[in-house]
Structures are given as structure tokens and as C-alpha cells.
Amino acid sequence: MGLVSGKVALVTGGAQGIGEAISMTLAKEGAAVAILDVNLEKAQETAVNIKKLGVDSEAFKCDVSNVADVETTVEKVVDRFKKIDILVNNAGITRDNLLIRMSEQEWDLVIAINLKGTFNFTQKVGRIMMKQRSGSIINISSVIGLMGNAGQTNYAATKAGVIGITKSVAKELGSRNVRVNAICPGYIQTAMTDKLSEEVKAKMIELIPAKKMGLPQDVANAALFLASDLSAYTTGETIRVDGGMAM
Ligand code: NAP
């Protein structure tokens, strides 16, 4: 028996990076996983890899910022898997620029995907979990939401906002046995950070007490804890997975 055997998980942005690692980790511990992403081809590859582990999985194309898309996709997931026990709001992007140069488009797009996307899924799936009288919602925030970062005003606003959503919804849904927690990853090796220059990477690593980048698996291990009954009495919490970066 795995830690989440028999449960159904929905992971947004699950095609690659941290979302893929979370999907694979939950699957290895027995959960069926619905992989949602704008990149359907990559999401399907992840679903195939999960099925090889002997658990059910299917990929769905979905843009988390589009309310109608979210509504129909959640319906499709429930039709297919009959319930949703674990929601991981992971899809996220960056559009970095200094505040004085930041365009309205750069601001709006990051808010729409990182913040409104989290609201969209939390509301639609939260309703289902309330009726079920059980569920675990895991929001992927960032240490940038705790510390701020020059060049990331838009991103920091969304990631701080995700912590606000986490605590508010944890208070609203606590009595219905629905737990809501956030993870703040630090500097993790994925496509999102691959695009940074070697100079920026070296500077970031200097700031981390552990003196190294984290791996998607490090974040997935925290997500497994929050998804499973090991964290049955934990809600409204924010867990840093950052090698000590933001303490
Ligand atoms: P990633 O490798 O870029 O993966 C993100 C996935 O989300 C991609 O498959 C992306 O598809 C998808 N996506 C983008 N926009 C979407 C949308 N509107 N609807 C649905 N899916 C969408 O990023 P990651 O590094 O794994 O990051 C995952 C989460 O962790 C994000 O919320 C990020 O902010 C957070 N985080 C990451 C780090 C880090 O160091 N990597 C640190 C702290 C927090 P496309 O590639 O096709 O756009």
C-alpha cells in the first residue's frame, strides 16, 4: 500500500519540471493522476510514464487562466476518475522585468496564470471536495513570495497572493475536512531556471545555505507529505523547500 493509494490527484502544469515530479511521486505511492497542461503532447508523455507504474493516468489540455476551460476540464476529470482527492496548483510562469520597465502585458499574464489560475481550480475543485467532505489542496508558491526579488514584482505578487489564498481557503474549508497548504520552493533545477545566465545562477547559489540548487524531487517529497494522511492535522501551512534560502 502506498501513502496515497486509491486517491485521485489533479496536477496543473504536470507535463514537466516540478509538476511532473509531483505527478510521478504521487503515482508511485498509488494515486491515479490527471495531468493538466497547455502542452498536451508532453502531458501525454507523463501520463504514459505513470501508466507504466501500474496506476491510471490521463492527460488533459487546459489553460489554467481560462475559467471556461477550467470548468469543462474539471468536469472531464470527474467523469473519468469519479472524484478528486488531491489538487496541486502548480502551473506557473515568469515574465521578469524591472518595475519601471514592466509592461501591462507582463503584469497581466503572470497574474492571470499564477494567481487567477490558482483561484479558478481551488474554487471549482474546492466545491467537489466540500461535498466529498475530504481533500488536500497543495498550492505551489515560491520563496520569492516571501522575500521579493528585483525584476520579479509581478511574480512575487502572485506567489505572495497564493499564500493568502491558501490561508483564507484553509479557514473556509477546514470544517469540511479539506486541507489547504502551500509549498515555497527555492531555486529548483527546471526549464524555468535553465534560462537564467550562469552568472545569475552562481549569485543565487551563493545566497543558499545548502550551496546548491534543489531538484524537482525535493519539492515532490513535500507535496507527497501534504497530499497524504501523514499531514492529516496540517492546514494553512507554508513549507519552504529552499536549502535555507528564505529563512
Ligand atoms: P516549468 O518547468 O516551466 O513547468 C511549468 C509547466 O506549466 C509547463 O509544462 C508549462 O507549459 C505549464 N503551463 C504554463 N502556463 C500554463 C497554463 N496557463 N495552463 C496550464 N499549464 C501551464 O516550471 P517549474 O519550474 O516546474 O515550475 C512549476 C511551479 O513551481 C510554478 O508555479 C513555479 O512558479 C514554481 N516554482 C518554481 C521554482 C523553480 O526554481 N523552478 C521555484 C519556486 C517556485 P509550457 O512550458 O508549454 O509553457
Side-chain angles (χ1 to χ4, degrees):
M1 277 284 279
L3 282 172
V4 285
S5 278
K7 304 218 178 207
V8 174
L10 185 167
V11 182
T12 71
Q16 62 174 16
I18 291 170
E20 180 186 6
I22 292 173
S23 301
M24 294 296 292
T25 301
L26 294 175
K28 280 180 193 157
E29 290 293 327
V33 189
I35 314 282
L36 276 60
D37 209 287
V38 281
N39 189 332
L40 183 61
E41 225 169 279
K42 266 201 188 141
Q44 280 166 337
E45 281 172 29
T46 307
V48 167
N49 289 333
I50 286 177
K51 281 184 178 165
K52 285 182 193 159
L53 297 169
V55 288
D56 200 3
S57 184
E58 189 166 331
F60 299 84
K61 188 177 169 68
C62 179
D63 175 354
V64 299
S65 67
N66 181 321
V67 189
D69 206 6
V70 172
E71 234 160 39
T72 51
T73 312
V74 168
E75 276 169 25
K76 282 185 202 163
V77 172
V78 174
D79 272 357
R80 170 75 169 75
F81 292 95
K82 307 301 168 212
K83 58 175 186 166
I84 302 171
D85 301 298
I86 300 158
L87 166 65
V88 185
N89 284 308
N90 165 78
I93 61 159
T94 52
R95 288 293 181 275
D96 298 350
N97 218 336
L98 292 173
L99 172 71
I100 49 168
R101 294 200 197 122
M102 188 169 285
S103 68
E104 189 181 359
Q105 285 87 345
E106 286 166 339
W107 172 266
D108 285 347
L109 188 65
V110 173
I111 299 285
I113 295 175
N114 299 9
L115 192 61
K116 191 177 169 201
T118 299
F119 164 75
N120 287 341
F121 269 97
T122 304
Q123 188 182 51
K124 307 290 172 268
V125 177
R127 279 189 192 127
I128 294 166
M129 290 178 168
M130 273 174 76
K131 283 190 194 139
Q132 280 173 187
R133 291 286 195 272
S134 71
S136 172
I137 300 176
I138 300 161
N139 294 324
I140 306 301
S141 175
S142 167
V143 288
I144 304 306
L146 302 171
M147 304 162 67
N149 195 21
Q152 294 198 303
T153 301
N154 50 0
Y155 185 76
T158 64
K159 294 304 186 179
V162 161
I163 295 172
I165 292 176
T166 302
K167 292 181 179 176
S168 303
V169 182
K171 287 183 176 179
E172 287 190 22
L173 303 190
S175 64
R176 311 294 175 98
N177 193 31
V178 178
R179 299 181 297 106
V180 193
N181 293 287
I183 298 175
C184 285
Y187 184 29
I188 310 294
Q189 225 169 335
T190 68
M192 185 179 266
T193 47
D194 281 349
K195 58 189 177 200
L196 299 171
S197 71
E198 288 308 314
E199 195 194 340
V200 171
K201 282 186 192 174
K203 273 192 191 156
M204 301 270 281
I205 289 170
E206 212 29 63
L207 295 173
I208 304 170
K211 298 293 171 218
K212 60 178 182 183
M213 292 177 78
L215 299 173
Q217 188 62 51
D218 295 318
V219 182
N221 293 342
L224 174 62
F225 166 70
L226 292 174
S228 76
D229 289 342
L230 288 178
S231 61
Y233 199 54
T234 300
T235 193
E237 182 57 281
T238 300
I239 299 181
R240 287 186 295 108
V241 180
D242 68 348
M245 188 178 176
M247 71 178 146

